[in-house]
Amino acid sequence: MPREWPVYKGYATAAARRGLVAAVVDHSLIHGLDRLVAAADEVEAAVGVLRSDPRVDPDRVGLWFFSGAGLLAGEWLDSRPDWLRFVALTYPLLATPPGVDELVPAAEVIGKHDRGGGAGKASSTDLPVLLTRAGLEREELAGPVAEFVSAGGAALDIIDVPKGHHGFDMLDHTEESRAAVTKALDWAIAHLGEEPGDDGKLLVPPPAKKKTTATRRTPTVAKPAAAVKEAPAGPAGQQTLPTTPKATPATPAPAVAPAQAPLADLGMATIAAVTADTPAARVISREHAAFAAHDLEAFLAMYSPTARILLADGTELKGRRFLREHYRPRFDAGQCKTEVVQRLMLGEWVVEHVLSYDDSGTTPQLGLYRVVDGLITDVEFRA
């Protein structure tokens, strides 16, 4: 798998030596461009695993896309979550294959956010973007890269490798290649919010302290920032979960035949089981909160890049791109009011009876939500 390739091990090792946590993601794109949508979901899930790692500061993460993985960058350039400190692309493939309309092309969104502040919010629009460009790039890749540069304008930093081929960091063992890799790494580290130490070397500062009521038995250790490199590769690695220690058995009680539980009590127990709070329900609650606050980007951030929504009138929306187009007029008009009348939860699923308010009055609906790996993947509304 590409995660084992020496070139990616080299980047990760260089980053780790500078005090970062470096993770290389294997995803399904290695099996062909027809797996592009699956790869997008796998990368997003891997980022979630990385940000939940106790060694990582979840508010300081950068994404680095290489070669074919450049096709996955558009969604991140568009959504720009607050924790994303930079996006870097090295000899990227940027021409979205025909028939793939769920993902946002990078050239389409790179220029729509003003760098340094514009009409948008500074926290979400001022995203540093780096392109490392090979001078001897293949023709079919060079054209879309040129379009990306033209659209990016001042929102783009560029490192040129005039004598470099596609994959120059593997193929061209020259001072020019080594200098380009070093410069890109320096750029990434600088944009993770580091400060130079007394000896001139870049150091990772401790993350901002967060208020907590929990009591720690050991001193808090500063979490390094994280840089994620996207290899054009297969499924994300598995995470080993700690085993739970077995409870000490209590002293056995005398054998007594249990009384028959009343039917009403069984019914109440069943209701409690399906109405108890679940991780999926908490995701839906955050989505509802963003909707009520008219925060479109926070709303979209709760959805998978390839989420599907089936509206009550039969319209199907697929992918954040079309969700944004559908919901933006409603957010802009301030028509984001719903009331949850009843909610049931079971595993990945949340079912709600909601009242939706708009200019035409009140519309009762059923909403069925599916949540996988912390993101909404499927929604169906029925009126």
Side-chain angles (χ1 to χ4, degrees):
M1 303 302 287
R3 187 168 49 177
E4 301 299 322
W5 292 3
V7 63
Y8 298 121
K9 283 188 173 182
Y11 275 96
T13 300
R17 287 175 177 172
R18 301 287 287 272
L20 304 182
V21 173
V24 181
V25 181
D26 284 339
H27 51 74
S28 295
L29 201 54
I30 190 66
H31 302 299
L33 294 180
D34 59 330
R35 302 296 301 276
L36 185 58
V37 172
D41 282 340
E42 290 162 356
V43 168
E44 184 140 8
V47 171
V49 171
L50 177 74
R51 294 185 65 232
S52 67
D53 192 294
R55 296 168 294 180
V56 172
D57 179 354
D59 296 325
R60 292 192 299 144
V61 177
L63 299 178
W64 199 332
F65 300 89
F66 291 75
S67 191
L71 294 170
L72 307 176
E75 289 291 330
W76 300 99
L77 292 171
D78 197 25
S79 61
R80 302 184 174 216
D82 290 340
W83 50 262
L84 183 59
R85 295 299 183 91
F86 71 79
V87 169
L89 304 101
T90 297
Y91 43 82
L93 172 62
L94 297 175
T96 304
V100 178
D101 55 5
E102 299 93 335
L103 303 181
V104 180
E108 183 176 304
V109 294
I110 181 63
K112 85 174 190 180
H113 298 280
D114 292 331
R115 193 175 196 182
K121 297 182 294 183
S123 62
S124 62
T125 60
D126 191 15
L127 174 67
V129 182
L130 174 67
L131 168 68
T132 300
R133 181 170 53 179
L136 303 179
E137 183 60 274
R138 287 178 282 179
E139 183 178 353
E140 64 271 21
L141 275 67
V145 167
E147 294 177 9
F148 180 73
V149 171
S150 178
L156 190 62
D157 292 325
I158 299 176
I159 297 175
D160 275 315
V161 190
K163 298 180 181 179
H165 297 82
H166 186 87
F168 67 86
D169 43 12
M170 293 179 280
L171 303 176
D172 303 321
H173 301 285
T174 65
E175 288 300 323
E176 181 183 69
S177 294
R178 285 187 282 272
V181 172
T182 300
K183 188 175 180 180
L185 185 60
D186 289 343
W187 181 96
I189 291 173
H191 285 89
L192 284 171
E194 299 181 332
E195 299 293 340
D198 295 337
D199 58 358
K201 295 183 179 179
L202 290 172
L203 304 175
V204 179
K209 293 183 179 180
K210 300 180 180 179
K211 293 182 179 180
T212 178
T213 57
T215 302
R216 294 181 180 271
R217 296 182 179 273
T218 57
T220 302
V221 179
K223 297 178 181 179
V228 181
K229 292 182 288 300
E230 307 302 345
Q238 297 180 341
Q239 185 178 30
T240 302
L241 300 178
T243 57
T244 303
K246 296 182 179 180
T248 303
T251 303
V256 178
Q260 186 73 22
L263 184 60
D265 290 348
L266 291 176
M268 292 302 295
T270 301
I271 292 174
V274 298
T275 58
D277 192 20
T278 64
R282 290 192 286 273
V283 171
I284 302 305
S285 294
R286 289 195 292 272
E287 185 258 23
H288 290 354
F291 186 79
H294 299 80
D295 189 337
L296 180 59
E297 295 308 319
F299 172 81
L300 294 172
M302 303 312 301
Y303 286 85
S304 164
T306 55
R308 297 171 183 264
I309 294 185
L310 182 63
L311 303 178
D313 63 3
T315 302
E316 184 179 36
L317 307 174
K318 185 178 179 182
R320 284 187 187 152
R321 177 184 183 183
F322 293 100
L323 266 65
R324 179 178 285 104
E325 292 176 0
H326 174 81
Y327 281 103
R328 186 184 297 280
R330 189 169 178 179
F331 275 74
D332 292 343
Q335 297 178 342
C336 299
K337 184 179 179 182
T338 59
E339 177 185 352
V340 179
V341 179
Q342 189 175 11
R343 171 185 282 183
L344 298 177
M345 289 84 75
L346 184 63
E348 297 178 338
W349 289 92
V350 177
V351 181
E352 294 181 336
H353 173 203
V354 300
L355 300 178
S356 179
Y357 299 89
D358 54 32
D359 293 340
S360 61
T362 304
T363 304
Q365 288 185 321
L366 284 180
L368 294 82
Y369 299 84
R370 186 185 184 194
V371 178
V372 178
D373 294 327
L375 294 172
I376 303 169
T377 60
D378 299 274
V379 182
E380 182 176 347
F381 291 107
R382 297 185 180 183

